[in-house]
Amino acid sequence: MRKWIAVTVAVLVVVAGVAAFLLLGGRPDPRAAVLRAEPSTAHYAPIATRALDPQPLTVAEMFPGPSVSAGTTRLALKATETLADCAEAAWGSALDALDGCTQVLRARYETEDGEVSGQFLIFNLADSAAADRLVAALRSDGFVRPAPDTPEGFDGSRSWAQARALGHYATVSWVAPVVEGGQVDLTYPQVAVDGLSLAIQRRLVR
């Protein structure tokens, strides 16, 4: 009897895993292979809390142009979205660090040759302590979710990401090859996508 119970439990675990895999578009949630994470600093004291900076983020503010670039690399803006449910943009330990989060803006980019896909997310949190907790959680056993229209070839095992706490905001820039094999230099794509975080600097002087 115990043997049959054990077999039944094992089957249910497999079925649940397959179901989750299919619900996630046929692939598990990837993590960045290389992640740099930075806490907030005193520089962002003027926007350390949402009370000091109550105006919600907008797509026009964060993603004003049709592309971003660095060096000789240009990535075209493919899609943007605003999420009221912050949990839609994270998984694992990152979910436990979203208390007080009111919105997430997410944009997806792609190089002209289609070899690199990138995305940028910004979380609107209650204060800098919450932003620091989220950035720290991203280094643990959770991460952000890829955008729904992320290319199938997005290779998390070769991806780079940068997470920053900027006052009461947390940003994540994430780039990955979408081609199999070979070496793909992600330096300029990462710099280009991460440059979107500079939009927050304008809030410091309001």
Side-chain angles (χ1 to χ4, degrees), residues 33 36 46 51 54 64 68 70 98 120-121 145 147 152 157 165 178 194:
R36 294 184 60 192
V68 292
L98 293 178
F120 181 90
L121 301 90
R145 291 188 186 277
E152 287 295 327
S157 67
V178 292
D194 191 55

Side-chain angles (χ1 to χ4, degrees), residues 16 20 51 92 102 112 119 156 168-171 184 193:
T102 56
E112 294 174 309
Q119 44 199 286
H168 72 100
Y169 302 104
T171 65
V184 178
V193 175

Side-chain angles (χ1 to χ4, degrees), residues 118-140:
Q119 44 199 286
F120 181 90
L121 301 90
I122 181 165
F123 294 79
N124 189 338
L125 299 152
D127 52 37
S128 59
D132 284 345
R133 285 194 295 272
L134 178 55
V135 167
L138 295 172
R139 302 178 68 176
S140 185

Side-chain angles (χ1 to χ4, degrees), residues 150-168:
T150 298
E152 287 295 327
F154 189 89
D155 189 352
S157 67
R158 294 189 289 160
S159 65
W160 294 4
Q162 171 78 58
R164 301 179 187 274
L166 308 172
H168 72 100

Side-chain angles (χ1 to χ4, degrees), residues 10-52:
V11 169
L12 289 175
V13 169
V14 171
V15 169
V18 170
F21 185 74
L22 293 175
L23 286 172
L24 294 172
R27 58 188 174 182
D29 286 316
R31 286 181 53 84
V34 177
L35 172 64
R36 294 184 60 192
E38 299 178 8
S40 192
T41 67
H43 175 73
Y44 294 96
I47 56 171
T49 69
R50 192 183 297 122
L52 294 171

Side-chain angles (χ1 to χ4, degrees), residues 34-203:
V34 177
L35 172 64
R36 294 184 60 192
E38 299 178 8
S40 192
T41 67
H43 175 73
Y44 294 96
I47 56 171
T49 69
R50 192 183 297 122
L52 294 171
D53 175 44
Q55 193 68 24
L57 297 166
T58 67
V59 167
E61 174 187 9
M62 292 305 306
F63 315 118
S67 64
V68 292
S69 60
T72 58
T73 300
R74 188 178 80 90
L75 294 93
L77 178 62
K78 294 298 183 180
T80 63
E81 59 183 327
T82 302
L83 303 174
D85 183 358
C86 299
E88 293 181 22
W91 61 273
S93 60
L95 289 173
D96 299 327
L98 293 178
D99 287 346
C101 182
T102 56
Q103 63 175 161
V104 181
L105 271 61
R106 179 165 58 189
R108 189 176 69 78
Y109 292 83
E110 193 171 292
T111 54
E112 294 174 309
D113 58 13
E115 291 190 352
V116 177
S117 177
Q119 44 199 286
F120 181 90
L121 301 90
I122 181 165
F123 294 79
N124 189 338
L125 299 152
D127 52 37
S128 59
D132 284 345
R133 285 194 295 272
L134 178 55
V135 167
L138 295 172
R139 302 178 68 176
S140 185
D141 60 347
F143 203 58
V144 296
R145 291 188 186 277
D149 60 346
T150 298
E152 287 295 327
F154 189 89
D155 189 352
S157 67
R158 294 189 289 160
S159 65
W160 294 4
Q162 171 78 58
R164 301 179 187 274
L166 308 172
H168 72 100
Y169 302 104
T171 65
V172 180
S173 54
W174 189 17
V175 297
V178 292
V179 292
E180 293 184 4
Q183 294 295 318
V184 178
D185 188 355
L186 298 176
T187 304
Y188 284 140
Q190 178 67 69
V191 171
V193 175
D194 191 55
L196 290 161
S197 63
L198 293 174
I200 293 301
Q201 301 297 324
R202 290 191 288 270
R203 295 206 164 212

